[in-house]
Amino acid sequence: MTTSLDRASLGPPPLLSAPRRLLKHPRLMHYNRLAALVLTVNAAYAGLSRPLADRSLAHAALANLALAVLVRQQYVVNLLFKLATSAPTHWPLRLRWTLGKVYHFGGLHVGGALAGAVWFLALTLRTRNGPLLAVSWTLVALLALIVATALPAFRSRRHDTFEKVHRFGGWTALALFWAHTLMSAPGPVPVAVLAVVTFSVALPWLRLRRVAVRIERPSPHVALARFDYGETPFAGSSTAISRSPLREWHSFANVPAPGESGFRLTISRAGDWTGSFIDDRPATVWTKGITTAGVANIEVLFRKVVYVATGSGIGPCLPHLLAAEVPSRLVWATRDPRATYGDALVDEILAVQPHAVVWDTSRDGKPDMVALAYAAYRDFGAEAVICISNKKLTWQVVHGLERRGIPAYGAIWDS
């Protein structure tokens, strides 16, 4: 493989001034800002509404927990992306830069969950009714467990446990909320809110189905899973699949081909589940939910974009490269691309990206991805960079470029 960039041109871009760099610090990313905004609004409500009646505490708890659930609903996520990406490209870049951070909506989930748990604890401390008190403290303990296992330090080390606690704990908490609400002689509004939340939680499972899959394995590292069961998802969406629906789910970017039915998923060996999937090559898997917009859908906010991918990160980029809705330039660093992903896939990529920068790490070593991304951004005249890689490198590229005044986007691993 060859690259279209001269290594001598890969000098580091200048940093922003210290005050502007501070605003680009990872601790101040939009995800955290949204969480802080929700908590601030709740604190203001608490301060301005004193003294708070029990009914006000109950309503505040329910409103925040409803926000936490509904903002994760796939139709809501797709709507948020649709609204944010409807801005025309002649709008100021600074505004489009901010709109592109729509995928940080998980901050609303975090803020709502934390605030809702605190409101419900305050309500429980006031409760004197015996049977209601038992339900309340059980729910407080369950909410505390859900919050504790969702903390980044735990979630990153024990993701499977986090997922199970969130799923089964969440269902149990919803049932307890129904019991608590009905025992508290509620009005129509809390019942209606709970009904909407319950339907939102159930909807993805109402679409559960077992489907056939055809798996190609160009190398022991990668599987290309092909589906054609009557759905052709939009470019840039993702599908959740499982071999055991009640245990664990994994989402992968859909790769539809223009003019063809069905889609592909690119699955690389990155743990026990993906390893066994590649080795076993199952004939069927389970799918559920609604195909959901992913981070790269924000490309339409910009006149030109650079896609930066490492390894199987090419999968989420490929549908956008094939659709060619926005002029783009690909930077892809991977080990021995043809041996790993097969000639067919590499040729398909180069057919739509003849000027792609393909860096063979087995031959040339690991590159400075920030410098490589910046060189492509500069030479292509792009307005933004979208990075699809592992967590460490994604954050390195995104924050490395943002601190230099370049709009950059990548997954934030908040699910």
Side-chain angles (χ1 to χ4, degrees):
M1 287 288 173
T2 59
T3 69
S4 60
L5 294 178
D6 181 355
R7 294 193 189 198
S9 71
L10 301 181
L15 292 167
L16 296 172
S17 63
R20 292 182 65 192
R21 285 204 310 274
L22 179 62
L23 294 175
K24 302 301 180 183
H25 192 279
R27 297 289 184 186
L28 296 178
M29 65 180 178
H30 291 75
Y31 182 93
N32 294 335
R33 295 181 196 180
L34 288 173
L37 174 63
V38 173
L39 295 175
T40 300
V41 170
N42 276 275
Y45 173 72
L48 295 174
S49 304
R50 290 183 176 178
L52 285 165
D54 290 359
R55 186 172 295 273
S56 297
L57 293 174
H59 287 176
L62 182 58
N64 278 279
L65 292 168
L67 169 65
V69 172
L70 294 177
V71 79
R72 289 287 196 191
Q73 214 283 330
Q74 291 98 329
Y75 283 122
V76 174
V77 172
N78 288 343
L79 177 61
L80 291 174
F81 269 89
K82 184 175 180 61
L83 292 174
T85 59
S86 63
T89 55
H90 62 74
W91 281 16
L93 179 59
R94 186 170 297 276
L95 178 57
R96 290 180 282 133
W97 188 344
T98 300
L99 289 172
K101 300 296 184 179
V102 60
Y103 60 95
H104 287 251
F105 62 83
L108 298 175
H109 169 80
V110 170
L114 291 175
V118 171
W119 283 117
F120 193 80
L121 175 61
L123 176 63
T124 300
L125 292 172
R126 285 191 183 181
T127 301
R128 296 295 179 265
N129 179 298
L132 187 61
L133 189 61
V135 173
S136 297
W137 279 114
T138 302
L139 188 46
V140 166
L142 187 55
L143 291 174
L145 177 64
I146 292 172
V147 169
T149 55
L151 294 174
F154 183 94
R155 188 177 66 214
S156 61
R157 295 196 312 267
R158 304 288 300 275
H159 191 274
D160 288 348
T161 301
F162 151 75
E163 186 177 335
K164 290 183 178 70
V165 169
H166 240 59
R167 179 178 303 119
F168 296 111
W171 292 348
T172 305
L174 183 57
L176 289 172
F177 262 111
W178 270 110
H180 185 279
T181 301
L182 295 176
M183 292 170 68
S184 304
V189 173
V191 172
V193 172
L194 270 177
V196 170
V197 170
T198 303
F199 178 73
S200 175
V201 171
L203 184 57
W205 294 91
L206 296 176
R207 297 171 62 93
L208 182 69
R209 66 171 84 175
R210 193 168 191 170
V211 299
V213 56
R214 181 163 56 89
I215 298 174
E216 301 172 10
R217 195 174 68 178
S219 75
H221 179 70
V222 173
L224 303 178
R226 296 180 180 270
F227 297 85
D228 193 359
Y229 53 88
E231 289 192 12
T232 303
F234 61 92
S237 60
S238 63
T239 290
I241 64 173
S242 176
R243 299 176 69 180
S244 179
L246 292 179
R247 293 183 58 192
E248 59 181 316
W249 287 84
H250 298 265
S251 291
F252 299 94
N254 300 317
V255 186
E260 296 182 13
S261 63
F263 60 99
R264 291 167 288 172
L265 303 179
T266 304
I267 301 172
S268 67
R269 191 180 294 273
D272 293 340
W273 191 91
T274 53
S276 64
F277 186 93
I278 292 170
D279 294 336
D280 298 345
R281 286 188 273 189
T284 61
V285 295
W286 292 91
T287 69
K288 72 175 175 68
I290 303 96
T291 51
T292 312
V295 57
N297 282 272
I298 56 92
E299 66 165 8
V300 296
L301 286 168
F302 306 101
R303 297 184 182 93
K304 290 183 177 182
V305 298
V306 168
Y307 278 99
V308 176
T310 61
S312 60
I314 190 62
C317 301
L318 186 54
H320 298 282
L321 301 177
L322 294 175
E325 188 173 355
V326 175
S328 61
R329 175 68 53 83
L330 173 65
V331 177
W332 184 26
T334 186
R335 62 183 182 188
D336 203 347
R338 290 191 178 275
T340 304
Y341 296 92
D343 288 333
L345 184 65
V346 173
D347 289 341
E348 184 178 15
I349 293 168
L350 295 179
V352 294
Q353 283 283 314
H355 302 293
V357 178
V358 182
W359 190 286
D360 184 347
T361 58
S362 61
R363 186 191 67 189
D364 300 321
K366 292 184 178 180
D368 181 337
M369 292 302 293
V370 175
L372 205 61
Y374 175 72
Y377 164 87
R378 177 197 62 207
D379 296 347
F380 188 54
E383 287 190 315
V385 173
I386 299 171
C387 180
I388 310 294
S389 183
N390 58 63
K391 184 174 183 177
K392 181 180 178 181
L393 198 144
T394 296
W395 284 20
Q396 178 184 333
V397 170
V398 170
H399 297 301
L401 293 176
E402 294 248 325
R403 291 169 64 236
R404 291 166 168 83
I406 298 168
Y409 305 88
I412 53 178
W413 286 273
D414 67 328
S415 63

